[in-house]
Amino acid sequence: MTDPPHRRTDAPHRETDPPHVEFIGPPGAGKSAIHRRLIENPRYYGELYEDAVERLLVAESGRRYRLAYRLLPSLVTSPLETLFVQTPVQRRMFAAFVAERPAFSNALYRARQAATHDPDQVVSLLQYAAERYQLGVSTVRPDETLCLDEGFMMGAVSVLWRSEGDQTRFSIDEYLEDVPTPKTLVHVTAPTEVCLRRQRERDELVSETHDMGAVEAAQRRHEDACSRVLDAAAERESITTVTVANTAALEDVVGEVERVLE
């Protein structure tokens, strides 16, 4: 079910960063479903936003704040959380990330220049990845492995997918120099027709949602983008890559991923 891990020469990595895992895969391959099931295991920390923010608030404000926050009615906490918790936390996490990795601005600039379709969305996706990564590494525990569903590697896929025409406009190698790279990259695949069927079943054809033209062509371009990012990651000694075919029972596929991570 899995291909052998690949290795390469070297990739810059901050020694203070805990090793983390990222997932990539085309729409409908099932990477998010695998990620959700994987993080049910307490060994793997999915950095679900609510859990991470609660950990952060408890660490900074103590248990009394958490109890008061939980006791407030949900209709009250929802707008309050957005105004007083979510937005400030997102801004603080992004500011901390950029302060520690100023080269990230280069990645944002090059990604925006490369994207011929919806470049502002590309920047938003990469900023989102930075915020979630920083929140994840700030709240992960020593006995957990941080696992990101929408991380920097998927950000690179998004840039390539939105870059029609000259694919050399975006250098994956340069991008990987400017972002944190995972210790393990899990590439989830499934046949094109299976991916499209899954998208239709949930009424979420990504190519139509993003106005990317013919469905099959857009899907194959996404698959090609994933393969290009996987190949670039496989050239780096610091990243172990593995490809998982999501065509069996979900429990079996998740078990295969767990064996790889162990």
Side-chain angles (χ1 to χ4, degrees):
M1 188 177 297
T2 60
D3 292 339
H6 307 286
R7 294 279 190 178
R8 153 187 143 167
T9 50
D10 194 17
H13 178 73
R14 289 163 47 90
E15 294 300 329
T16 55
D17 289 338
H20 74 285
V21 177
E22 291 192 22
F23 289 74
I24 62 171
K31 69 179 182 62
S32 295
I34 294 172
H35 176 263
R36 285 194 299 269
R37 185 65 62 87
L38 176 69
I39 62 176
E40 291 177 1
N41 185 331
R43 295 177 56 188
Y44 303 109
Y45 178 44
E47 196 279 289
L48 299 178
Y49 186 79
E50 294 78 8
D51 295 340
V53 168
E54 182 173 303
R55 288 187 182 192
L56 194 66
L57 293 177
V58 170
E60 296 179 351
S61 306
R63 297 181 61 184
R64 187 174 300 177
Y65 181 95
R66 176 178 62 178
L67 179 61
Y69 179 75
R70 284 183 169 180
L71 289 177
L72 286 172
S74 60
L75 291 178
V76 176
T77 58
S78 180
L80 282 179
E81 182 181 11
T82 301
L83 180 61
F84 295 109
V85 179
Q86 181 173 337
T87 300
V89 165
Q90 288 175 330
R91 289 175 178 170
R92 179 153 61 99
M93 291 298 107
F94 185 68
F97 180 89
V98 174
E100 295 178 4
R101 302 171 181 81
F104 184 63
S105 60
N106 297 329
L108 289 177
Y109 175 78
R110 287 194 294 264
R112 196 183 192 289
Q113 292 296 107
T116 55
H117 179 82
D118 207 356
D120 290 336
Q121 179 67 13
V122 165
V123 173
S124 296
L125 288 171
L126 295 183
Q127 181 173 334
Y128 175 82
E131 293 168 356
R132 298 299 286 263
Y133 171 83
Q134 191 69 24
L135 185 57
V137 297
S138 300
T139 54
V140 66
R141 295 167 180 157
D143 60 338
E144 298 172 327
T145 298
L146 177 63
C147 298
L148 299 180
D149 180 22
E150 298 289 341
F152 296 101
M153 310 304 282
M154 201 61 204
V157 171
S158 297
V159 176
L160 291 174
W161 187 60
R162 289 174 169 84
S163 303
E164 297 182 280
D166 185 7
Q167 297 274 305
T168 62
R169 290 161 56 102
F170 181 69
S171 168
I172 305 175
D173 286 333
E174 288 182 353
Y175 172 83
L176 294 181
E177 294 292 329
D178 296 333
V179 301
T181 53
K183 179 180 180 181
T184 306
L185 178 63
V186 180
H187 176 216
V188 182
T189 67
T192 301
E193 61 274 14
V194 173
C195 292
L196 293 175
R197 173 174 54 78
R198 290 170 177 168
Q199 292 177 64
R200 291 189 177 100
E201 287 174 351
R202 62 184 186 229
D203 196 24
E204 293 181 357
L205 276 169
V206 174
S207 60
E208 293 181 353
T209 304
H210 296 281
D211 191 25
M212 295 294 285
V215 173
E216 288 80 5
Q219 183 71 18
R220 290 194 175 88
R221 192 164 71 250
H222 213 300
E223 293 168 356
D224 179 66
C226 288
S227 296
R228 291 184 59 196
V229 171
L230 181 74
D231 290 344
E235 289 296 313
R236 296 186 166 244
E237 188 178 84
S238 62
I239 305 176
T240 296
T241 67
V242 61
T243 296
V244 179
N246 185 21
T247 52
L250 182 59
E251 291 76 9
D252 295 338
V253 180
V254 173
E256 189 72 18
V257 173
E258 288 182 321
R259 285 189 288 275
V260 169
L261 297 183
E262 291 171 1

